[in-house]
Amino acid sequence: MLSRVARAAVIAGTLGGCRMSQPHLADPVSARSTEWTSSLARASDEAAEGRYATADKLLADFTVRFAATPEAAESMYWRALYKLDPSNASGASRDAVVLLDGYLASGAAAHRAEAQTLKRVAYALDTRPAAPSIVGPKVDMVKIDDKARDDEVQRLKDELAKAHADLERIKRRLAQPRP
């Protein structure tokens, strides 16, 4: 008979050998984490190159594949951030608000304060009247100033014409003989 120590060694060796012979199963959490890191890096590169639609698609695809995960919630945050970028022609603050609402509702906490701030910024952008383009502000301001000046000149010309017409009417009235 084998001693207790010998039996334990045989069992440990057998179990160890069995474990070694089993195919290695990938950890789904670490695989998801690796894919998230890769997807976010690629999306960031695309956004940096001005390809916001591609960045958005990469992140949206990740969200579909890994729905209800913390990384999918993070994906909503980054998509909203890219939608608020002024150089994103297809971005809309309303879309960003929807994504930020989803992010905040998910319970994710990594960027909670930032998401709340971005949501307020998105609301402010939606309610603020359109401002002149940031590109070439001097040109846009000159156009605005020219229009304002032209409007003022036209208003003054109209007032002068009205005053001139009143003056002519008064002259004609005074020139009529009195009975």
Side-chain angles (χ1 to χ4, degrees):
M1 282 278 153
L2 293 172
S3 71
R4 257 188 177 170
V5 173
R7 250 190 256 153
V10 168
I11 291 173
T14 305
L15 290 176
C18 290
R19 184 171 185 202
M20 295 299 271
S21 66
Q22 288 180 343
H24 180 61
L25 300 175
D27 178 16
V29 172
S30 103
R32 182 183 76 227
S33 178
T34 301
E35 186 163 343
W36 167 242
T37 302
S38 172
S39 294
L40 182 58
R42 286 190 347 245
S44 179
D45 290 343
E46 293 294 329
E49 294 296 320
R51 294 186 293 266
Y52 293 99
T54 305
D56 188 66
K57 182 165 178 19
L58 286 167
L59 294 171
D61 289 348
F62 182 90
T63 302
V64 169
R65 282 192 317 278
F66 298 101
T69 63
E71 293 86 355
E74 283 297 304
S75 175
M76 288 188 287
Y77 170 80
W78 288 102
R79 288 178 65 202
L81 186 67
Y82 294 145
K83 290 203 180 284
L84 286 173
D85 189 328
S87 62
N88 183 355
S90 65
S93 55
R94 277 175 252 116
D95 296 339
V97 168
V98 170
L99 288 165
L100 290 167
D101 281 340
Y103 175 75
L104 292 168
S106 74
H111 301 286
R112 179 165 295 286
E114 296 91 339
Q116 290 168 336
T117 300
L118 287 172
K119 189 174 169 183
R120 288 189 297 270
V121 167
Y123 277 131
L125 288 172
D126 245 2
T127 58
R128 186 180 65 171
S133 170
I134 293 174
V135 179
K138 290 182 181 175
V139 173
D140 287 345
M141 294 307 291
V142 168
K143 287 180 183 176
I144 291 170
D145 289 343
D146 285 349
K147 178 155 176 39
R149 186 190 70 223
D150 290 347
D151 290 346
E152 180 67 12
V153 167
Q154 186 59 48
R155 186 184 66 77
L156 291 172
K157 282 182 180 180
D158 292 344
E159 283 182 26
L160 183 60
K162 184 180 175 189
H164 187 65
D166 286 344
L167 185 58
E168 287 299 318
R169 184 181 52 80
I170 291 170
K171 282 182 185 178
R172 281 190 307 260
R173 189 170 182 191
L174 290 174
Q176 291 177 354
R178 290 191 187 178

